[in-house]
Structures are given as structure tokens and as C-alpha cells.
């Protein structure tokens, strides 16, 4: 069913197109149902327009130019590039005059594009998405609490201590919450544009100031240090030339780094210690610390290793030196994490997962074949989109790296150097964030608005199943899903020793779930593009806690005689 | 009898209800003669047969100094109500019972006229000829132009039911006192204003006279005064005397102890406003000064007139109307209060008693009653709670409390008489708490002395504000009071007697049959009333005392019967009043004929069950299961026997209460259904005592309709049980339909099953047309949703299917329900499609009682300590969980899904309890509890 894009006539008229994602190699756009019932088209004009859509390059440019004149379009839009994202503010839809006209044009263009045979595909309908009934005995989260303070997409959650967390998003405010009660503790406002990075700055042991600090970077090209106990704005730096997209803290040296179009090193008092030369226009997309005072920055397709020179007796100057560039990725690097003391891992837009050695920066292992794992010929044809295999996020434990690849989840074993379990269509659309829970569980959240809980289980029937010995099988008829040309994949298919079992899902958000935060004691916090934060609680545990509190209260009030 | 539910379902409710009254004609020989008064539209419960009026009404009369007793107005102001009843005659009767004549200006031996802050007197009288019985409340208002500055008025509640008056005496007294207080407050205000004007006039007159005299003096320098000049001088002197007199009066009226009024909620706001002014005056050291400032600040617009030398007391002048006497604002308030009283006491005595008991019991369940009780009632209760709590920190409290809790009745009695007669001495007593008994004796002895002396004594203490007892001569009353208390009460009370004995002594009952007036009991002054009884009399002056004593006295009384004292905070006067009134005002004959034992809080939920016609085995089962009484476990066991008399209430209460208003149903606005039913609705609406204020939607009528529709729903839909289960277990039920009216109707009907989060929020949304969002599910537990045929509804349906795990969906158009499976036994009892209940209000009551029972289970479960906390450190959570499960199953007798209902209610209770005690510390979160998700087991 194709529903044409239409503009609502009045502000109160509600257009419901609940997260419709139509994904093609080239164009992604989704219609987000906001909490205020304000539909906002989010248009991603992707970089590669395939031949069948050549005509729409012009259209995309048109859309882009339309979008650009709108006042509320974010300023980080540069010139038209092959891969650009356009965010339209909901307010645009009710503008009169040129903006509304522009939006109208946009809608008609989108409609025309959607009528393209390849685009009319509804991926959701044909995906073998694993589902789970509503009886989820292993899902402990039976209570939820909706927290509402943000006025735009909430993109970041950061844990402050055992019972507090902060949220930040496109509305430029940071909100500090109590994770137990859901109480809004503080609202920190100082940024004029959306927040692009947030990080906690743990207090120094020696320092008498024990207040927890957080650093936020914003598209308004500032970084603010907040005291999140008092809500005070401690310091503000506004001498950046570009938006800071990532922040990292080197606690050992008590400095922090900001990554934009260049890399800057700052001390606690926000004095600029040193900076690199201009790296790239797109800027540093990810930044991690590795031993020997080095940092790895992901810039476009490259990983650049920088060495930080702390002041010594010889020189009082800080310095940052480029040590090495790693060029193994074929495409933009989207994710970069430290896995353990020995290695770090990076993932790219085209599904390359590379594990690097932290000491000599060599490739330990590489996994590139996620894209070929799609099951049928048919689907390959329909789903050949790099978007679907971009690696958005990693998490890890001692043995495994868990990767969010496109819509799927993969478990890569570091010892065996191969994928030991996978769930190719874990969600309806891209998985944005994953995290590992204690007991071999994994949580993932996705653009489709759902959060799912998975458990990594050993496959029991593995021994009983005869392992195909390869060669004939490779050419075997009837097994269309086995690609002859990909023995690696075949091997994986047959020998993944583990499986990811869906044990529960959390439905609550009406739009893309951007991130979540797991609290050991208080449950799960999710944030979403629908402006909401949801606190998911273990119902039984909460019930017990409430009883405990109740009896405490009774005792305090001296009402216990009621129960005698 | 057709009993198939499906057939029944399609019978129209109204027709169905009519059935019992349109029975096919019996053969002549079997027919029972009709009730002789059936033509009047009454039923055998009616006692109206002899009365000339159709239902109870309130009459206000005045003893006019010009024309004698005259009726002023009736409430309701409808001639149909009192019909041929002779109001003039009855006014004469009721005014003549007021033993205290009005007190005239100058008491012997006193220099200036003294104002009496006269007690209201409360009398019950009957007129067997007219078939009328009345509670009569006498009060006195001040009027500068009236003889002795006073105008006697009375308000009478006239009913044909003697028992009603007797048994509701206390309530009537309380309510009428409120009305009276309102009138008197307004009157004081008006009187003060009048005095101020008069003073200005006098002042002006004095100035004029003065200048005239001066002119005369100057003009006449012969050295001797002309007769004219002497006359002028005399005139001037008399004006000055008059000024002093009036100033004194003003001072007196101002010095009225305003702090004692605060308990009155009716006009508290206005009172406070006007209180500021007198308080100022009181605090100023020189009262004259304050008078002067008032004169020029408060009433600058008034232009003084010259007063003629001869004060004319002519009889042709027009006396002020009641409205003029007490300030329009207060007058309308009083009328509202009276209408409220009329509304409140409408209907049969049995019904009044049951509803009072009902309310009292609900009040006891203060932990659980927010769940299913109507918010209006609850809020009312909150108000009451607030009302009862503020006096706590007040200064007088420790004193009165300690005194009234003192076990020796004598002390109580003496304090009572003391307070009633000389009200402001109490302040002094606070300081000398120790020897107050001695003081009391002193005063009573003093009172037997010469008047002048006594007054001096009082003056000494009260700085000029004298307020005395209630009748003509101050001393006389004092004397009589002391004599009475000595001869009657004191003699008997030296030995601590049981309250009943005291009461029977105190109550006088005499029948004067020749006169056709029976004064059943008079309680003219507080001295006559025994302590425990008096405590719940809000008397005019000792307002605060009586409010404080309201509960205190009740508790004391309770304590004297059954040693374990109940929770006093919850024990309002209400639950005690029936029994108290019963035994105090009525002599044995009445209480016997009534057949209702003294009602005590002991009979609780199980008694309410008597109302419904559910299979008896449930009760038995329940009784075995666990004791249902919650807050009254410690009630005296011996009273359990008395409560067994209650099956008398098995009669449909609506029948009982329908008696009075049947013929008058046309008076009520509600006339959409049969007149019978509508009269039920109107009669019973006194369940909401705040109906004097603009009535909220949650009236009795509302409940009745909800009950009716719920009954219809239960009969019509086979899946009513799982739907109700969804509501009870906190799963949002979405009623989907195209027709708004139908959806709204069903939502209203089902809303009686929805547990509330708190006292303020009812989680029901009657009609939504936009797609639902997760916030909606968090907020509402019952939602009426519009089904739209257009493609725009795709979103609505999409969000419904997306959040389907949190909802049960009742599709009205397709008659389907998607919800979890229900296999419990609780809902079938609650909503039996074969139920014999035919009326909405009855069914509503049935539901209420069942839900109260459920609440009590949830209460037990929530507050059982050992169920939720591990007994020792090593105990695992599993063990605790299994203990909970076995408690729910074995002790509470819950099966399958019923467990979840109780668990959900328990969570609500926990949250609510913590929220209540927390106060406002978590304003953002705790307004509604976190939303619980329920996995679905299957659909229907």
C-alpha cells in the first residue's frame, strides 16, 4: 500500500505515517510520527544513485535546494554532496509562503520517486523478521515510565552515577534525570543548536571539587562544561571552526580531545593545549584512546593514529603528532571502539569490520562479507543497498565482538576470528545501538522504534546435523541461499555454533530509538526521535521495592498499627 | 420467566423495569386489596398517609413584633410540597416552643444596653393533628430598629416521619447550625454596619446641636439660660448618651469571638474577609479610636443625617426583611445551605441511615477508598479531613481534649455548661487549667448573686464584651443552668453512669395531647445535654469547641460502649450518630418500632452484601476465606450480634428510599426515564453531600445510568468478563466504535470498574478521535476511540496494533474483543449476566460492594508485612514469591487471573500510600503510577 505524501491542512490535523521507511540504495526518507503529531519528513539523500534513478539526481538536488532555503534546516548542511542529510523541522510544514511551497514540491518529488518500481518495495513485508508473542516470560521489563522534557529528537544518553543519567538531543538542552523515580532533576540549556556529542568528565581524585562534570558539543560550534550537580554552566568554549562531532577524555593525562574538522587537545580548565592541522571537511567521526598516549580518529575512510606528547622536562608544550594512517577501509568509518587491552575494532559503511592491534596498529582480522549473506537471489536484487550493511555500533565482551550490521546483529568471536552467531534481520530497519547485558544477553535498538532483547545460546543440535563437506554442496541445486562463490559464507552458515534468540521486545516508542542505557539496578532507559525517553522497569523488582518503601513509610508514620 | 441472557439483553431496560408494576391481572379472588394510600402514589413504607404535605420541607418563620409569628419562606419554595398544610398555624406552634423570649435592651442594673450572643435552641416537636413533626432551630438576629435590638427567627425541618426527625436530630442540628451560623455572621456584619451609620448620624447630630447651643449661648448673654437652651442641652446630653450606648453596642458586636467561627466551612472565606476588620478593632487599644477610623475609612460615602430628638418607636415602620438583616450574600448562602439540607435529608429514614453508615464505613477505608469511590465523595471526604485537622494545632485543643477525654463525666458536664453560658471565660481557663473545676463552681455560685455583681465580674474578665446565656435575664439563665446541673445532672453524675442513663435523664419527653402538640424533646441549652451528646452540638457561639468536640465527643461515647477506641481520625461523628441519636433522642418505643439496632461500624462489607441478590454460597466462601472488616477488626465483639439484624436491609434500598418522592417526581428535573426511577435518583442524590454546590457529573443519577448501562453491557456481550478483567487488572481497554454516543455510553458504564490512581484523576477518556499514543495508555485506562472509515484512520489502527500488547480492544461495531483470557471467579460474581438485579442504581451498589470487598483483599495483601519482606536475610526471593502466591490463593481464595487483579490493586495502593505520605515531593512522577504492561494470553 502506498500512501501518498500529503501535507496536513491545519496544525491540529494529524497525518499519520508511522515510521514509513522506504529504503533504496539511493534515497532514504522516513515520515516520523512525532509525539506532537507533527509529521517531519526526514530525507537522506544518499550518495550513490543507481542508473535507474539517474533522473532523480536532479530531483534530489532540487529537494536539497528547496530544503536549504528553509530557515529551520540545520546549518551543517554544506553544498550538495552525494551523501547529505536534510532534516526538516516540523514547523516548516505549517509555514505559509515559499517554505510551504517548497515542502509541497518536496512531497510531490518524494511521491514521484516512491512510484519508482524499485522504490515501492516495502522491505518490512518481505523480511523474515523474527517476532515474538506478547507472552515474554524472560522479558523482565513489565513496567514503563514515559519521561518527557525534550522538544526534539533525543540522541544521547549518558550515565552520571548509579542513579542519574543525562539526556541530550537536537533541541540543544541537556536534562538530568533520576533513573529510579524518573524525576527530572535539572535542565541545562545553553546551546542554541543540536547537541552532537556528550561525555562525562569524571572528577579528579585529588581535586576537591567532587562535582560531576559533563561536556557537551553542539552544532553551534561550542563546547560547554556543565556541573551536573548544580546545573551550573562551568565553562564554554566557542572558538571552534566546525561542529565538534566527538569528544573523548584521556583521564590519565587529565585532558580531553574534541574532534571536528581538526583535533584539539584541551585541559580541564578548557585551555587549548594543542591541535592538529585541518584534517577533513567532514570531520572526525569517531575518536578513541589507545595505549601509549595515542588516539585513533576515524576520518572518512581513514583511521589516523595520533600521538599525544605531554610536557616533560625538555619541553613545556603539549603536542599532537600524526603517527600513522590506516587505509584498509573502503568506505566511511561509522564506528570505532576499544574491545580490550589488545585490540580495537572499526566498522564501515559497507560492512567491513576490522580488528586492529592496539600496539602496532596492524589488522588482526577482517570481516567483509556481511553483505553477501543475504539469503536469496531475489532478495539480493531487491536489497542491494550498502545502507543495510553499514556497521553502526559495536559492543563486546571478553570473547566476542557484537556488531550491529544494517538490520542485523552479528557476533564475531575474537579467538575463532569468525562470526559465531548472527541474526540477519533483527529489526525492521537499521540497528542503531547495541549493548551487552550480563547473562549473555544483548539489547539492540533500531530505527523501527523497537528495542529487542536477545540471548546468545549454544546450538544444541549442531552435532547431530551432518556438516556438509563442501564442494558438491557448493554447486548444489535447490539451495539457492548458498552462494557458490562464497565459501567463507557457506562455512559460516553451516557452522555458526551459537544463535541469537529473541527473548523479548519493548514496544513503546513511535519512532526511531536512538540509544539506550542499561542500569543494573533501575532497568533500561531508551531515547527516541519521538522526543521521549522511556524508563523500562522490572515489574517484579519494582513491586518488591515499593513494598519495602511502603513498610518503611508505615514505620515512619507510625501507622504500622493498622496492620497489627 | 425468560432467563436466557441473550433474550434479556434485548429487552429494553425501561420496559423491563416496569414489569413488576404491570403484572397481568389476577383473578379477583386472589387479588390482594391495594394499599389504601396507593392513590397517592405511595407505597407501604410511606408514612405520609396522615400528613397534609407531600414531602419534607424547611420552613423559616419569624416572631414579628408587629404581627406575631409568621411564616417567611419554605424550601423547596413550591406550594405543592406543603399543600394544604397550615404554615401560619405551624409557625405559631414552632415559635411558641421557644422558651427563651427575646431579651430587651437594658438589663436591670446595667447602665447600657447589652447584647446577648444568644445560643440557638433546638427543639423537636410534633403535631399529631397535622401529622407533622419538626426539628425547630431558633435563632436571634440583631436589628437596631427592633425591640431590644433582636428579632427572633426559627428554621424548622418539617417531616411526616417522627423517627426521621428523632434519629437524624444530630445531623439536622449540625446542618442547621451551619445555616444559622451563616445567617448570624451576615447579621453581625450588617448590624455593625448599621451601628456605624447610626453613630455617624449621632455624631453629626451632636455637632449640629453643639453649634446651635453655642450660637444660642452667644446670642443670649443675659446670664441665664432660656428654656430653649436647656432643652437643647438636654438633647445634646441624650445624643451623647446615645453615642456612648451605640459605641458600646458596636464594641460588643465587634468583640464577638471570631476565632470560633473558623470551623464553619460554609462561608469561611467571606468570614475571614470580614474578620479582618473586627480583628483590627479588637487589637487596637482604644476601641473608640478604632470605631472612628472605621467610620471614616470604611464608609466614606455615607452622608450623615440629622436624627430627631424624639426617637420614635412607631409600629407602622417597616421592619427589615431577613435578607436585609443579614446581607444578601450571606442570605443566599444560607438558602443554599438550607436547600442542601433539604436535599440531604430527602428520602426514607432507612435509606438515610444506610447511606450514613455507608459513608462512615467508606471513611474508615481511607487507604483503599480512592480506588473505586467516586471522586466527588472522595474529595468531600478530603475536605472533611482538612476540616477536622486544622483545629489540632489550635490553642484550645490541648485543654478541651484533655478535658473531654477525661473519664469522669461530671467534669465534662460542668465544662459544657460553663462554656455554654459564659463563653469567653474559657480563655481564662486556659491559663488556669488546674483549678478550672474550682472556677466553675465559683462561677455558678457567683451567678446566684446579684446581677450587678455578676456583671462586674464578667466585665472584669472579658473587658466589656459580655455574652451570657440564652434567655431574658442573664442571671436567670445562669441560675437556672446551675440549678439544673446541680439538681439533675450533678446528682446523677457523681457516680459515673453509662451514657444511656444520663441521656434518658436529660431528655425530656412529654406529650400534651390536648394541645395536639408533643414536645418530644427539648435541648434548649447545653447544660441540659449530657456530655457525650452535647459534644456533637455545634452551638452558635462555641463553634470551634463544638467542631473540635464533634469527633472527640463521638469517640468518647464510642469508648464508653466498647473499650477499644477506634481510630479517631477516621471516626467522624457520622458513623456514631445513628446510634447516638437513636438512643438519645428517641425513647424506647421508637427504636423498637424501627427495628434497626444501634448501628455501629462493626457491620461492614458483609452487610452490604445483603443488598445484592447474589448466590449465597459466595458469601459463605468469602467468610471462610478471611474477615472482611478492615479498619474495625478491633471493634467490640459483642456488637457482632447486633449487626446481624441487618438483613432487614436486604430490601432493595431504592424501594425504601423511593417512598417520599414518588408523587413529587415531577418536581425533579430528571424525567427521562420512569418517574419512579427518577424519583429514586433524586432522592438518593444526597449521597453527595456537597450537592449544595454546583453538582458534579458524578451524581447519583450518573451512577445509576452507569449501572444501568453496565448491566446492559453484561447481558448483551458474552465477553463482558474478560473486558472487565482487563479494566480491573490495569490493562487499558479501548472501546472502538463509530457512533460517539454509543461509545460514550459504554465507556461511562464501564468506568465504574476502573480503579483510580489517586483521588484527583479518573483514568477514563470518553472519546478520542486521533490515533493513540503511548502517553495516552499511560494516562488512561479506559478509552473511547473513534473509528473512522477514511484512510486517515490507518494511523489509528496502526498505533492500536502497535501497542496491542498494552490494550484490550473492544470493537463495538463488529462486536469483538481482543484481550487476555480470563478464567477467574471474581468477575463472574461481579458481572453475572443472569443477575436478578434490574435497576442501575442497585447494580451500581452491587458493584461497589463487590469492589470494596476486592479492595479489602488488596489491602490485606498489600499490608501484610510477612508477604513482601523476607523473614530473614537468607530467604530467597522465590520463597517470598511463593509465600505471596499461597497467600493469594489460600487465604484470599483467588484463582487464576484474579491474582493479577489483586496484585495490580496492591501496586496502586502502594503508590498511593507513598504519594499521600510523600506529599508533593514527587510532583512530576507520582501523579499516575508507572504503567504496567501485561502480556496477552489469547484473544476472544
Amino acid at each position: 500500500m502506498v500512501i501518498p505524501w500529503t501535507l496536513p491542512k491545519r496544525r491540529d490535523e494529524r497525518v499519520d505515517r508511522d515510521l514509513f521507511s522506504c529504503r533504496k540504495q539511493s534515497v532514504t526518507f522516513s515520515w516520523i510520527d512525532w509525539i506532537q503529531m507533527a509529521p517531519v519528513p526526514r530525507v537522506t539523500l544518499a550518495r550513490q544513485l543507481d542508473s535507474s534513478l539517474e533522473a532523480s539526481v536532479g530531483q534530489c538536488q532540487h529537494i536539497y535546494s528547496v530544503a536549504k532555503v528553509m530557515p529551520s534546516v540545520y546549518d551543517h548542511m554544506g553544498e550538495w554532496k552525494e551523501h547529505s542529510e536534510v532534516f526538516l523541522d516540523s514547523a516548516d510544514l505549517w509555514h505559509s509562503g515559499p517554505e510551504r511551497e517548497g515542502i509541497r514540491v518536496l512531497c510531490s518529488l518524494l511521491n514521484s520517486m516512491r512510484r519508482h518500481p524499485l522504490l515501492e518495495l516495502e522491505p518490512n513485508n518481505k523480511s523474515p523478521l523474527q517476532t515474538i508473542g506478547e507472552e515474554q516470560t524472560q522479558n523482565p521489563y513489565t513496567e514503563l515510565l514515559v519521561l518527557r522534557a525534550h522538544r526534539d529528537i533525543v540522541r544521547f544518553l549518558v550515565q552520571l552515577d548509579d542513579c542519574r543519567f543525562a539526556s541530550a538531543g537536537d533541541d540543544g538542552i541537556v536534562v538530568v534525570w533520576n533513573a529510579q523515580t524518573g524525576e527530572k532533576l535539572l535542565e541545562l540549556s545553553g546551546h542554541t543548536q543540536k547537541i552532537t556529542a556528550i561525555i562525562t568528565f569524571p572528577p579528579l581524585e585529588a581535586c576537591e571539587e567532587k562535582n560531576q562534570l559533563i561536556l557537551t558539543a553542539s552544532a553551534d560550534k561550542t563546547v560547554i562544561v556543565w556541573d551536573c550537580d548544580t546545573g551550573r554552566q562551568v565553562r564554554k568554549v566557542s572558538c571552534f571552526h566546525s561542529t565538534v562531532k566527538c569528544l573523548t577524555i584521556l583521564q590519565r593525562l587529565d585532558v580531553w580531545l574534541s574532534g571536528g574538522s581538526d583535533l584539539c587537545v584541551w585541559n580541564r580548565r578548557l585551555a587549548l593545549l594543542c591541535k592538529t592541522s585541518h584534517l577533513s571537511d567532514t570531520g572526525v567521526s569517531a575518536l578513541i584512546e589507545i595505549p601509549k598516549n595515542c588516539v585513533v580518529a576515524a576520518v572518512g575512510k581513514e583511521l589516523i593514529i595520533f600521538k599525544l606528547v605531554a610536557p616533560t622536562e625538555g619541553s613545556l608544550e603539549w603536542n599532537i603528532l600524526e603517527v600513522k594512517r590506516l587505509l584498509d577501509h573502503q568506505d566511511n568509518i561509522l564506528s570505532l571502539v576499544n574491545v580490550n587491552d589488545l585490540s580495537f575494532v572499526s566498522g564501515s559503511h559497507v560492512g567491513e569490520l576490522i580488528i586492529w592491534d592496539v600496539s602496532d596498529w596492524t589488522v588482526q582480522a577482517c570481516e567483509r562479507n556481511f553483505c553477501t549473506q543475504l539469503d536469496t537471489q531475489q532478495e539480493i536484487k531487491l536489497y542491494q543497498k550498502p545502507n543495510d550493511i553499514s556497521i553502526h555500533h559495536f559492543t563486546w565482551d571478553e570473547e566476542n565482538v557484537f556488531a550491529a550490521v544494517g538490520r542485523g546483529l552479528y557476533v564475531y568471536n575474537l579467538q575463532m576470528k569468525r562470526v559465531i552467531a548472527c541474526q540477519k534481520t533483527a529489526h525492521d530497519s537499521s540497528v542503531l545501538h547495541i549493548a551487552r547485558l550480563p547473562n549473555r544477553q544483548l539489547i539492540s535498538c533500531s530505527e523501527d522504534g523497537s528495542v529487542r532483547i536477545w540471548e546468545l545460546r549454544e546450538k544444541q543440535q549442531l552435532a547431530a546435523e551432518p556438516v556438509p563437506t563442501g564442494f558438491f554442496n557448493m554447486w548444489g541445486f535447490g539451495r539457492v541461499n548458498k552462494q557458490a562463490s562464497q565459501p567463507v559464507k557457506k562455512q559460516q552458515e553451516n557452522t555458526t555454533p551459537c544463535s541469537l534468540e529473541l527473548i523479548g521486545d519493548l514496544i513503546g516508542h513511535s519512532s526511531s530509538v536512538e540509544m539506550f542505557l542499561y542500569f543494573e539496578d533501575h532497568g533500561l532507559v531508551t531515547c527516541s526521535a519521538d522526543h521521549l525517553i522511556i524508563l523500562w522497569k522490572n515489574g517484579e523488582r519494582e513491586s518488591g521495592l515499593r513494598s519495602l518503601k511502603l513498610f518503611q513509610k508505615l514505620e515512619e508514620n507510625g501507622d504500622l498499627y493498622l496492620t497489627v | 420467566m425468560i432467563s436466557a441472557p441473550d433474550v434479556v439483553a434485548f429487552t429494553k431496560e425501561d420496559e423491563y423495569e416496569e414489569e413488576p408494576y404491570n403484572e397481568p391481572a389476577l383473578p379477583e379472588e386472589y387479588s390482594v386489596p391495594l394499599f389504601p394510600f396507593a392513590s397517592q402514589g405511595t407505597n407501604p413504607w410511606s408514612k405520609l398517609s396522615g400528613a397534609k404535605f407531600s414531602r419534607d420541607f424547611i420552613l423559616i418563620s419569624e416572631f414579628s413584633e408587629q404581627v406575631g409569628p409568621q411564616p417567611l419562606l419554605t424550601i423547596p419554595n413550591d406550594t405543592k410540597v406543603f399543600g394544604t398544610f397550615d404554615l401560619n398555624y405551624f409557625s405559631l406552634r414552632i415559635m411558641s416552643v421557644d422558651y427563651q423570649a427575646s431579651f430587651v435592651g437594658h438589663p436591670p442594673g446595667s447602665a447600657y444596653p447589652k447584647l446577648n450572643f444568644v445560643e440557638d435552641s433546638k427543639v423537636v416537636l410534633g403535631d399529631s393533628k397535622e401529622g407533622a413533626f419538626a426539628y425547630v432551630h431558633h435563632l436571634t438576629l440583631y436589628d437596631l430598629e427592633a425591640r431590644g435590638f433582636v428579632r427572633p427567627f426559627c428554621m424548622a425541618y418539617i417531616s411526616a416521619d417522627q423517627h426521621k426527625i428523632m434519629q437524624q436530630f444530630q445531623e439536622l442540628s449540625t446542618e442547621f447550625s451551619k445555616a444559622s451560623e451563616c445567617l448570624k455572621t451576615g447579621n453581625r456584619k450588617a448590624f455593625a454596619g448599621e451601628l456605624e451609620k447610626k453613630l455617624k448620624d449621632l455624631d453629626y447630630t451632636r455637632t449640629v446641636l453643639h453649634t446651635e447651643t453655642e450660637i444660642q449661648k452667644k446670642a443670649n448673654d443675659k446670664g441665664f439660660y432660656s428654656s430653649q437652651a436647656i432643652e437643647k442641652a438636654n438633647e445634646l446630653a441624650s445624643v451623647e448618651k446615645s453615642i456612648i450606648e451605640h459605641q458600646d453596642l458596636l464594641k460588643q458586636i465587634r468583640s464577638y469571638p471570631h476565632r470560633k467561627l473558623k470551623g464553619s466551612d460554609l462561608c469561611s472565606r467571606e468570614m475571614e474577609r470580614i474578620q479582618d476588620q473586627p480583628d483590627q478593632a479588637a487589637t487596637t487599644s482604644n476601641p473608640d479610636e478604632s470605631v472612628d477610623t472605621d467610620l471614616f475609612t470604611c464608609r466614606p460615602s455615607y452622608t450623615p443625617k440629622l436624627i430627631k430628638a424624639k426617637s420614635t418607636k412607631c409600629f407602622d415602620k417597616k421592619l427589615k426583611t431577613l435578607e436585609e438583616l443579614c446581607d444578601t450574600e450571606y442570605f443566599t448562602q444560607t438558602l443554599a445551605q438550607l436547600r442542601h439540607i433539604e436535599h440531604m435529608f430527602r428520602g426514607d429514614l432507612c435509606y438515610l441511615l444506610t447511606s450514613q453508615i455507608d459513608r462512615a464505613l467508606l471513611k474508615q477505608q481511607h487507604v483503599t477508598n480512592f480506588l473505586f469511590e467516586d471522586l466527588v465523595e472522595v474529595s468531600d471526604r478530603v475536605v472533611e479531613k482538612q476540616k477536622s485537622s486544622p483545629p489540632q494545632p489550635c490553642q484550645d485543643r490541648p485543654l478541651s481534649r484533655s478535658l473531654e477525654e477525661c473519664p469522669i463525666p461530671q467534669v465534662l458536664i460542668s465544662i459544657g455548661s460553663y462554656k455554654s453560658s459564659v463563653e469567653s471565660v474559657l480563655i481564662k481557663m486556659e491559663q488556669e487549667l488546674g483549678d478550672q473545676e474550682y472556677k466553675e463552681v465559683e462561677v455558678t455560685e457567683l451567678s446566684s448573686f446579684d446581677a450587678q455583681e455578676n456583671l462586674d465580674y464578667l466585665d472584669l474578665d472579658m473587658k466589656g464584651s459580655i455574652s451570657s446565656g440564652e434567655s431574658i435575664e442573664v442571671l436567670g439563665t445562669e441560675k437556672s443552668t446551675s440549678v439544673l446541673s446541680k439538681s439533675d445532672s450533678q446528682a446523677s453524675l457523681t457516680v459515673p453512669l453509662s451514657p444511656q442513663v444520663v441521656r434518658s435523664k436529660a431528655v425530656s419527653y412529654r406529650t400534651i395531647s390536648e394541645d395536639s402538640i408533643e414536645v418530644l424533646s427539648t435541648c434548649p441549652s447545653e447544660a441540659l445535654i449530657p456530655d457525650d451528646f452535647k459534644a456533637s452540638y455545634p452551638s452558635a457561639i462555641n463553634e470551634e469547641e463544638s467542631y473540635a468536640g464533634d469527633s472527640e465527643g463521638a469517640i468518647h461515647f464510642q469508648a464508653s460502649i466498647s473499650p477499644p477506641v477506634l481510630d479517631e481520625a477516621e471516626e467522624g461523628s457520622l458513623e456514631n450518630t445513628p446510634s447516638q441519636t437513636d438512643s438519645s433522642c428517641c425513647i424506647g418505643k421508637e427504636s423498637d418500632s424501627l427495628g434497626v439496632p444501634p448501628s455501629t461500624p462493626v457491620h461492614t462489607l458483609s452487610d452490604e452484601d445483603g443488598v445484592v441478590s447474589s448466590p449465597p454460597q459466595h458469601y459463605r466462601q468469602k467468610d471462610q476465606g478471611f474477615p472482611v472488616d478492615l479498619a474495625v477488626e478491633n471493634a467490640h465483639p459483642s456488637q457482632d450480634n447486633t449487626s446481624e439484624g441487618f438483613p432487614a436491609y436486604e430490601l432493595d434500598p431504592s424501594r425504601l428510599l423511593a417512598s417520599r418522592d414518588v408523587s413529587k417526581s415531577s418536581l425533579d428535573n430528571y424525567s427521562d426515564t420512569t418517574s419512579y426511577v427518577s424519583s429514586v435518583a433524586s432522592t438518593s442524590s444526597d449521597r453527595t453531600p456537597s450537592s449544595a454546590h454546583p453538582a458534579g457529573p458524578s451524581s447519583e443519577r450518573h451512577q445509576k445510568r452507569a449501572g444501568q448501562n453496565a448491566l446492559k453491557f453484561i447481558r448483551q456481550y458474552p465477553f463482558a468478563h474478560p473486558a472487565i478483567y482487563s479494566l480491573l487488572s490495569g490493562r487499558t481497554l479501548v472501546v472502538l466504535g463509530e457512533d460517539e454516543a454509543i461509545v460514550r455510553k459504554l465507556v461511562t458504564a464501564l468506568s465504574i470498574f476502573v480503579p483510580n490512581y489517586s483521588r484527583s484523576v479518573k483514568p477514563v477518556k470518553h472519546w478520542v478521535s486521533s490515533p493513540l499514543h503511548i502517553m495516552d495508555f499511560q494516562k488512561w485506562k479506559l478509552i473511547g476511540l473513534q473509528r473512522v472509515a477514511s484512510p486517515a484512520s490507518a494511523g489509528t489502527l496502526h498505533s492500536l496494533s502497535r501497542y496491542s500488547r498494552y490494550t484490550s480492544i473492544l470493537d463495538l461495531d463488529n462486536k469483538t474483543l481482543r484481550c487476555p483470557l480470563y478464567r477467574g471467579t471474581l468477575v463472574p460474581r461481579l458481572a453475572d449476566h443472569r443477575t436478578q438485579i434490574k435497576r442501575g442504581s442497585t447494580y451500581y451498589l452491587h458493584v461497589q460492594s463487590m469492589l470494596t470487598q476486592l479492595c479489602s483483599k488488596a489491602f490485606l495483601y498489600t499490608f501484610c508485612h510477612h508477604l513482601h519482606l523476607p523473614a530473614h536475610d537468607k530467604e530467597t526471593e522465590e520463597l517470598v514469591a511463593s509465600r505471596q502466591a499461597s497467600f493469594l490463593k489460600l487465604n484470599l481464595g483467588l484463582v487464576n487471573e484474579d491474582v493479577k487483579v489483586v496484585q495490580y490493586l496492591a501496586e496502586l495502593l502502594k503508590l498511593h500510600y507513598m504519594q499521600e505520605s510523600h506529599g508533593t515531593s514527587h510532583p512530576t512522577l507520582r501523579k499516575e503510577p508507572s504503567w504496567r504492561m501485561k502480556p496477552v494470553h489469547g484473544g476472544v
Side-chain angles (χ1 to χ4, degrees), chain A residues 14 16 18 35 134 142-146 181 183 505 507-509 543 546-548 553-554 559 563, chain B residues 771 773 775 798 802-806 863 869 907 910 913 917 922 925 930-933 935-937:
Chain A
R14 200 162 137 173
D16 275 285
D18 189 77
I35 179 68
E134 286 175 18
T142 53
E143 283 185 24
L144 62 83
L145 199 61
V146 180
T181 61
E183 212 178 336
D505 60 350
I507 304 282
H509 287 293
S543 169
R546 276 195 287 266
S547 284
L548 208 65
K553 189 78 24 201
L554 277 170
D559 282 346
T563 58
Chain B
H773 195 264
M775 299 292 272
H798 181 84
R802 180 172 179 86
Y803 297 120
S804 62
R805 69 174 56 175
Y806 307 129
F863 287 91
L869 304 179
E907 293 305 317
K910 286 181 204 172
Y913 187 85
S917 47
H922 293 295
L925 171 70
S930 55
W931 172 36
R932 296 171 57 91
M933 292 157 44
V936 176
H937 299 285

Side-chain angles (χ1 to χ4, degrees), chain A residues 351-372:
Chain A
E352 301 153 309
L353 181 152
I354 301 180
I355 294 165
W356 308 84
D357 191 291
V358 284
S359 49
D360 55 7
W361 317 311
T362 53
V363 176
Q364 279 188 342
C366 180
E367 185 73 42
R368 296 173 191 271
N369 41 29
F370 300 116
C371 55
T372 55

